[in-house]
Structure formats: C-alpha cells, structure tokens
Amino acid sequence: MPETTHATSTVLPLLPALSVQAERLIELGVHEIAGLSTAELRAFAEAAEAPAGGDGALLAVHPGQAPASALARLLRRDGKPGFVVTDMPDVDLFAPLDTVALPDAPLYLLTGLDRGDRMANWSPHEALPALTAENRTPLLLTEGIHWVMQQPAVLERNHCFMTIGSRLRKANGALDARTPAIWISNGTGRDGRERRNAPKVGWCWAGNRHTWLGFASATGRRVQDL
C-alpha cells in the first residue's frame, strides 16, 4: 500500500445550499432528463434543508434517471462543455458496486464529501479497501459529475479524482478493468485541441496509479423524508 500523500491541496469552498443546488439543476435541465418536475426538485431541497439542515450535502439524481452520458455534457470549464472520451461508449453501463447501497428514490443526498487527494498515486485496487476500512463509500461517476456541476472548483489541474463506486461487469460476472474518473482535458489525441481545459469523463486501469488523481468518497447517502 503506498503512503498517504500529505502535500497541501486546495481548500474547497462549501457546497451551495440545497435550494441553490436545486435551482442549478433546473437551470441546466437535469430535472427534464430525470423526468422530474421543478416542483418535485424544489420540494425535496426545501424539506432537506429543514429542520436539521443540509449544510455540506450534495443533491444527487439517481443514475437510473439521469445517466452519466447526459450529465457530462452539462459540465463547463473555461466556457467549454464536458465530454465523455470516445473509447467509453458504454459509460452508462457502469453501475454501482455491490457494496454501494443507493437509496431507492429519484433524489438523494451525499454527505461528507472528500476528493481523496491524500490517496493520489494509489491504484483503485488499493484505494477501495482503504476507503471501506474507514467506513467511507466511493462516489459513483454520476455523483462525481453532480459534484463538479455544483462546485466547479473541485476539478483542478493536478487534483482531479476517480469515481470507483461505478464499475462495469462483463458477461462472465467479472469486473471490467476500467475505472471511471473525471479530469481536465489537455486537448491532445482524440480529445481535439478545441477541448483543451474542458471537463473530461474518462477511465483508468484498476491496477494503475496516477499522481494527479485522488479517490472521491462520501460518508453516506440518505433520502430526506418529505
């Protein structure tokens, strides 16, 4: 197991209030992708903010209703839209690991988000058991996209992240070796120069290490009773 990285990274701003997050999703048309009304989205956010409050929580739409391919293109950085790499046409087939329990609801909250900078230069194979031992749950790809959507500063050069809660199972039941991640395009290769600095959804091998990729995780997921 590699040593934990102690290098100083950016202190991220707090997430907006849940009501503000709801308006952001409405502005981007996420509710239409998910088949939800603006009233449903606003009511969920309002109920989640009171009485206990939802400070620091991320509002997410269930991946079954808003897939990664639809959400990725809504991301923006330097005025450029997000995209999925060309060799990941099956991005929406990446599903939660068996150990990741998703609420059975169209909307839910994630708490205790962490970008996992300290695990930079770990492999997914190394990071997953460590997160599990800490009672943390790895983010799904769609959840990571939601995070960047609401808090663009979470995605920065040399401090991007993997979302290893989403994996693809092959026909024989084994896991595909690819693990999804979100980072910033350099505009090289098949990305195209016009995509330099755009948010990028791609993948890395589960056994490989990358010095610039942490492992996004949360303390839990919950549904606020309305």
Side-chain angles (χ1 to χ4, degrees), residues 18-29 38 41-42 45 59 150:
L18 293 174
S19 57
V20 176
Q21 292 185 44
E23 293 305 319
R24 174 64 173 158
L25 296 182
I26 291 169
E27 174 190 356
L28 293 173
T38 58
L41 196 50
R42 287 169 175 149
L59 174 56
Q150 298 288 356

